[in-house]
Amino acid sequence: MPQHQVLIVGGGLAGMRAAQKAQELGMDVAMISKIFPTRSHSAAAQGGVQAAVSEDDSWESHAYDTVKGSDYLGDQDAIEILCSEAPDDIYSLERMGVVFNRTEEGKIDARAFGGTSVKRTCYVADQTGQVLLHVMWEQLIKSGLKVYSEWFVMDLIVEDNKVAGCVAMEIPTGKIEVFRSKSLILATGGIGQVYSPTTNGLVVTADGQALAYKAGATLMDMEMVQHHPTTMQANGVLITEGARGEGAYLLNSKGERFMEKYAPNMKELASRDVVSRAETMEIREGRGVDGCVFLDLRHLGRDLIMTKLSQIYELSRDYANTNILEAPVPIQPGHHYIMGGIKTDVDGRTWDVSGQNRWQGVEGLFAAGECANVSVHGGNRLGGNSLLDTIVFGRRSGQGSTDYAKSTDWVNIDENSVIRGAEDKIKEIFARPSGGLRTANLRSEMGSAMNDGIAVFRNEEGMKKTLESVRSVRDRFPKISLDNKGKIFNTDLLSVLELEFMLDVAEVIGIGAIERKESRGAHAREDYPDRNDEEYLKHTVVNLDENGEPKLNYIPVTMTQWEPQVRTY
Amino acid sequence: MDATFKVQRYDPESQEGSHYEEFEVDLPEYGSVLEGLLDIRDHQDGSLSLRCSCRSAICGSCSMKINGESRLACKAMVSDIKETEGDIITVEPMGNMPVIKDLVVNMDMFWEKVEKIEPYLQPTGPEPEKEYLVSNDEMMKLAVAMNCIMCGACVSDCTVLEVDKTFLGPAALAKAFRFAADPRDGAQEERLESYNEPTGVWDCTRCFMCVQACPKDVAPMERIMDIRSMVVENEIDKKGRGQRHIQGFIDGVKHSGRLDEFGLARKTFGFPIWAFELADLGIRRILRLRLPPIIHKSIKSAKNVKKIFENLGV
């Protein structure tokens, strides 16, 4: 039974940053990832990472923009930490080797992004996430971190509400093994494949959220799902906000810059929820083409496009058959990110250390990155704040998990019974008679239902219909049968296990969304079009109750220095 | 759009060896080969194994041979292939790496080579309080190599690795360039010395396969040439390998109209390294029947080749 003081599940930026910190502090650390770490979806972040590094900027200004962007649902103590610690983290990434674009003085340059009052987004052309991810991976090579690559975590092991480790399957061999740890950090990313289409990769399947939820932790504000304003029609692939940051226009079918109407000051650079809603309005009112509006980059010129947005040039050519130097590219809002996630404090802990039991958690279990909710993004995340979230709170959970591991003893595990349980689960799936339902069909049924009812605009009827569809898929889930019953690299089996995770999480999203009877951030309701601070300036929290059913509750938002105001751009 | 996929299948748990299976798929107008394979996996045969994630050529998971050339399946558009290469799309796992199942290969060798070049910044001297001050141009020069997503396509198609597993290979050396050329790195001399050793930059035969295979325009071979230039310019190459390599190349082609591989290795590395350090490579080549002819024959038009060289004044 492999044993490490700190175990990290997930090999993206948050996981790597956590591993680096815990290792630096002298812990025996290992990382488990279902894919090789550099394949993680952090690589797909294009535009940049926010930090107040310019002389004319301040972390307070960054924090205010983030609070306002969150539609006042973000916890302000966490946002203060995110923004005040950002510059040092960015400088340390630079010193590790990130090739940030530079100013004429050779300092880190920043570009404009949506919802920010000054140019604050540090960037590496339009491949910032990939470069950050690779540099962090290089650091792990340097430190010799133990990585269990292509291991799929099936379940967490919890004894007396204390984490003891996890059980995982080695994908290339089918071997099942128990991993023991004192602290366990979930850093598994988002929920992308719950939606169809999505900008997220095929591996982004809500694993961490579902593992934590089943283990007894809390999912918070899961209804806060972000649709990105510029995604490609053919396959939902992302076009960076950096395009608009560099000056690209949004046009409707009449060739009008329609954002002037919806956000007279910020126009295309209003925050994402605002722009996605405006696009949807234009399309609904008949000023779209084939469900899309247009992103026009032509006036930016070849030089700028080929040096700062070359990936976008390539993606538009490959997936939209459009040369962005010569023609506007059709785009539409598409699922991109979830602000909600596993409830943690500012050190990544899923449990309440105050002893007041304000929310339910699992001792020794940590979360960081998109799968966590600290909460810094609240109702709507600003572009460039997700990479920052992984770096700052990844590091802090590395510290938190070390402090915890030093203060606690190993928890005993009945290794054989855990392994038998996981094996039995797989045996049951293999034993189903062939010719049953296909995973892919159920997955796409769930994905389409989510996109129909819980997307840019929502209403009670639509959301209820979505939740019914999700539950109907879950009812039929046991009728899935597999074509592949082998041990070696059985992705057929993985798809079923992933779908099971996603169905749990889709239900929680639906429950929270229906009960939040107001419009805030990404949660825009046609039947409750206004923000209602009196009743809903609070976090939605969902847990499993004693009967294994979801239980909804609310906890207050932490305010420090910013009172809610009317939010205009 | 209809398409026929001919997919190489291999399942180590079955008695059947490696074989091909054909599938018909119906794809949207701009469908990629990856979408075709996912359609097969989702709706026809769930036992098909492949690695994939981002669908947008950034995660580097889905490298495979498509009609014999290593490419990213998500970036290879079915309509383009049908137009220029014919109706049947043949999909096979990457080369130079052992197959685990179907289109999934074991990339251990790939990662080991990347690790060998010490792929992390090694600054020396006092650390700045904030960032290192460097010019945008210096950073963007590195960005070309940072484009590498480590998909393995170049290694899959590398003709040297086919016969010499000790070669660091195009991906690792492209990454090596990224560090050797970084003004913030303090280990440039040690790096260049190690890349100058046998298995390093002089083993590349400039066949261009990696340049063609790379889906991100890293052009690994050109990065290898960049390192060669740095080795020569920084006078790292005290044994004169680079110069002798170039001269050996010219002499061979001028004399016989084609590359004298034996002569080239002898001239580049000199005696006794050529005889001793490269002996095991020679033995492996003999075993794989890939040894270059010991008696080097001229091509028929060698005289004309010689004239070209003379006219060029070389």
Side-chain angles (χ1 to χ4, degrees), chain B residues 166 194-203 241 269 273 277-278:
Chain B
T166 65
S194 96
Y195 310 150
N196 185 45
E197 291 297 307
T199 77
V201 288
W202 302 106
D203 277 13
R241 279 176 188 159
F269 294 108
I273 292 180
E277 289 191 20
L278 302 185

Side-chain angles (χ1 to χ4, degrees), chain B:
Chain B
M1 178 182 50
D2 293 324
T4 304
F5 277 56
K6 188 176 157 193
V7 184
Q8 185 177 321
R9 304 298 304 269
Y10 168 67
D11 179 1
E13 291 176 276
S14 114
Q15 298 302 313
E16 201 173 8
S18 164
H19 62 283
Y20 289 87
E21 279 174 23
E22 280 196 12
F23 300 91
E24 301 295 327
V25 293
D26 183 19
L27 288 170
E29 199 184 352
Y30 300 115
S32 63
V33 170
L34 177 63
E35 282 170 84
L37 293 168
L38 292 177
D39 186 78
I40 294 167
R41 189 176 83 176
D42 285 351
H43 303 294
Q44 300 185 43
D45 185 352
S47 72
L48 178 65
S49 295
L50 66 148
R51 290 192 182 105
C52 53
S53 179
C54 74
R55 305 163 293 136
S56 56
I58 198 73
C59 76
S61 303
C62 67
S63 238
M64 53 188 72
K65 283 195 171 176
I66 298 166
N67 288 350
E69 290 172 20
S70 296
R71 316 179 217 197
L72 289 177
C74 68
K75 210 185 172 192
M77 294 296 129
V78 171
S79 53
D80 294 348
I81 296 176
K82 279 180 73 167
E83 204 178 298
T84 54
E85 299 170 37
D87 278 343
I88 294 183
I89 295 169
T90 305
V91 187
E92 296 156 313
M94 280 198 282
N96 285 331
M97 287 167 266
V99 179
I100 295 176
K101 180 173 184 294
D102 296 334
L103 302 170
V104 179
V105 297
N106 180 333
M107 287 186 73
D108 288 354
M109 168 273 255
F110 179 94
W111 303 116
E112 281 159 19
K113 289 183 190 302
V114 173
E115 286 188 30
K116 254 190 204 158
I117 62 110
E118 300 189 0
Y120 36 83
L121 202 66
Q122 299 178 30
T124 47
E127 203 173 59
E129 195 189 324
K130 294 179 173 178
E131 73 270 61
Y132 287 97
L133 297 179
V134 283
S135 76
N136 197 52
D137 286 350
E138 283 175 300
M139 287 291 98
M140 289 310 104
K141 199 170 78 179
L142 306 180
V144 179
M146 289 295 286
N147 271 337
C148 173
I149 53 174
M150 299 192 281
C151 67
C154 59
V155 163
S156 166
D157 279 4
C158 175
T159 53
V160 176
L161 279 169
E162 210 178 306
V163 289
D164 179 9
K165 297 286 182 225
T166 65
F167 178 40
L168 283 169
L173 286 170
K175 205 162 176 70
F177 162 78
R178 174 255 168 281
F179 293 103
D182 194 320
R184 299 168 297 180
D185 196 80
Q188 198 199 47
E189 201 176 318
E190 294 82 356
R191 288 184 188 279
L192 292 176
E193 272 167 11
S194 96
Y195 310 150
N196 185 45
E197 291 297 307
T199 77
V201 288
W202 302 106
D203 277 13
C204 167
T205 60
R206 301 187 65 157
C207 72
F208 275 88
M209 291 299 279
C210 61
V211 177
Q212 200 185 331
C214 177
K216 301 299 285 186
D217 297 330
V218 174
M221 188 199 84
E222 286 170 26
R223 304 289 79 78
I224 295 174
M225 296 310 127
D226 288 341
I227 300 179
R228 285 189 185 177
S229 304
M230 291 168 79
V231 164
V232 174
E233 278 163 22
N234 289 282
E235 295 176 359
I236 298 295
D237 189 21
K238 296 190 182 71
K239 295 169 188 164
R241 279 176 188 159
Q243 225 172 353
R244 286 206 305 272
H245 180 84
I246 294 161
Q247 202 54 50
F249 211 101
I250 295 169
D251 289 350
V253 177
K254 188 176 171 184
H255 174 259
S256 57
R258 63 183 181 143
L259 192 63
D260 174 3
E261 289 185 59
F262 248 115
L264 188 62
R266 190 178 65 230
K267 280 183 180 155
T268 304
F269 294 108
F271 194 82
I273 292 180
W274 169 71
F276 294 112
E277 289 191 20
L278 302 185
D280 67 318
L281 167 62
I283 292 164
R284 266 178 286 120
R285 282 186 167 207
I286 291 167
L287 292 175
R288 295 197 56 173
L289 304 175
R290 290 299 297 262
L291 196 75
I294 293 172
I295 300 162
H296 186 66
K297 284 184 187 165
S298 300
I299 63 167
K300 277 183 190 164
S301 51
K303 271 186 189 169
N304 294 337
V305 175
K306 197 170 184 177
K307 268 185 196 162
I308 294 172
F309 272 88
E310 281 164 4
N311 284 341
L312 287 169
V314 181

Side-chain angles (χ1 to χ4, degrees), chain A residues 172-186:
Chain A
T173 63
K175 182 170 80 176
I176 289 178
E177 189 103 79
V178 167
F179 293 78
R180 193 180 189 206
S181 71
K182 289 185 171 179
S183 304
L184 190 144
I185 307 176
L186 292 168

Side-chain angles (χ1 to χ4, degrees), chain A residues 112-390:
Chain A
F113 241 51
T116 66
S117 45
V118 297
K119 290 186 176 179
R120 185 183 293 135
T121 308
C122 310
Y123 63 102
V124 185
D126 54 356
Q127 53 181 52
T128 314
Q130 183 229 325
V131 172
L132 259 57
L133 183 72
H134 284 212
V135 167
M136 284 303 300
W137 176 72
E138 291 159 14
Q139 296 301 306
L140 301 184
I141 299 287
K142 188 178 174 185
S143 66
L145 180 82
K146 172 71 186 166
V147 180
Y148 297 92
S149 184
E150 299 191 320
W151 281 80
F152 181 86
V153 174
M154 295 175 65
D155 217 345
L156 301 182
I157 305 167
V158 177
E159 299 289 342
D160 295 331
N161 203 39
K162 217 174 154 184
V163 82
C166 67
V167 57
M169 177 173 72
E170 188 180 36
I171 298 167
T173 63
K175 182 170 80 176
I176 289 178
E177 189 103 79
V178 167
F179 293 78
R180 193 180 189 206
S181 71
K182 289 185 171 179
S183 304
L184 190 144
I185 307 176
L186 292 168
T188 56
I191 58 131
Q193 294 296 320
V194 168
Y195 278 79
S196 172
T198 171
T199 62
N200 292 187
L202 298 159
V203 299
V204 185
T205 53
D207 302 3
Q209 291 88 337
L211 287 167
Y213 178 58
K214 279 196 299 178
T218 295
L219 296 182
M220 183 165 93
D221 297 333
M222 294 295 280
E223 67 276 20
M224 294 303 180
V225 174
Q226 178 168 79
H227 281 62
H228 193 288
T230 54
T231 72
M232 271 184 273
Q233 190 178 28
N235 55 2
V237 164
L238 173 72
I239 295 186
T240 176
E241 190 160 299
R244 282 171 288 136
E246 296 293 344
Y249 301 145
L250 287 169
L251 304 178
N252 61 19
S253 62
K254 293 176 166 176
E256 298 162 337
R257 271 184 81 184
F258 58 85
M259 282 312 297
E260 289 171 347
K261 219 167 31 183
Y262 300 90
N265 298 319
M266 301 285 275
K267 301 186 184 73
E268 282 86 355
L269 288 175
S271 70
R272 288 178 176 173
D273 56 334
V274 175
V275 182
S276 285
R277 280 196 287 277
E279 289 175 359
T280 307
M281 294 296 289
E282 290 296 305
I283 295 164
R284 281 185 179 180
E285 287 168 12
R287 292 186 294 278
V289 174
D290 196 15
C292 288
V293 288
F294 297 94
L295 182 71
D296 190 354
L297 297 98
R298 289 173 295 180
H299 57 285
L300 302 181
R302 170 182 284 272
D303 281 356
L304 187 147
I305 290 175
M306 297 318 260
T307 52
K308 291 185 172 176
L309 298 166
S310 59
Q311 193 186 165
I312 295 313
Y313 172 82
E314 218 179 272
L315 293 171
S316 304
R317 181 195 62 201
D318 292 344
Y319 304 121
N321 200 28
T322 302
N323 178 353
I324 55 172
L325 300 173
E326 290 168 5
V329 57
I331 49 88
Q332 60 188 14
H335 171 269
H336 183 56
Y337 187 85
I338 186 158
M339 279 69 74
I342 306 159
K343 162 69 184 159
T344 71
D345 66 13
V346 294
D347 296 311
R349 293 180 284 243
T350 63
W351 74 105
D352 182 4
V353 285
S354 75
Q356 295 167 29
N357 207 21
R358 291 169 297 178
W359 71 88
Q360 195 180 311
V362 178
E363 208 184 312
L365 181 65
F366 295 74
E370 190 173 345
C371 75
N373 185 357
V374 183
S375 109
V376 289
H377 310 304
N380 171 69
R381 173 176 70 78
L382 296 185
N385 265 354
S386 61
L387 288 180
L388 182 61
D389 178 8
T390 65

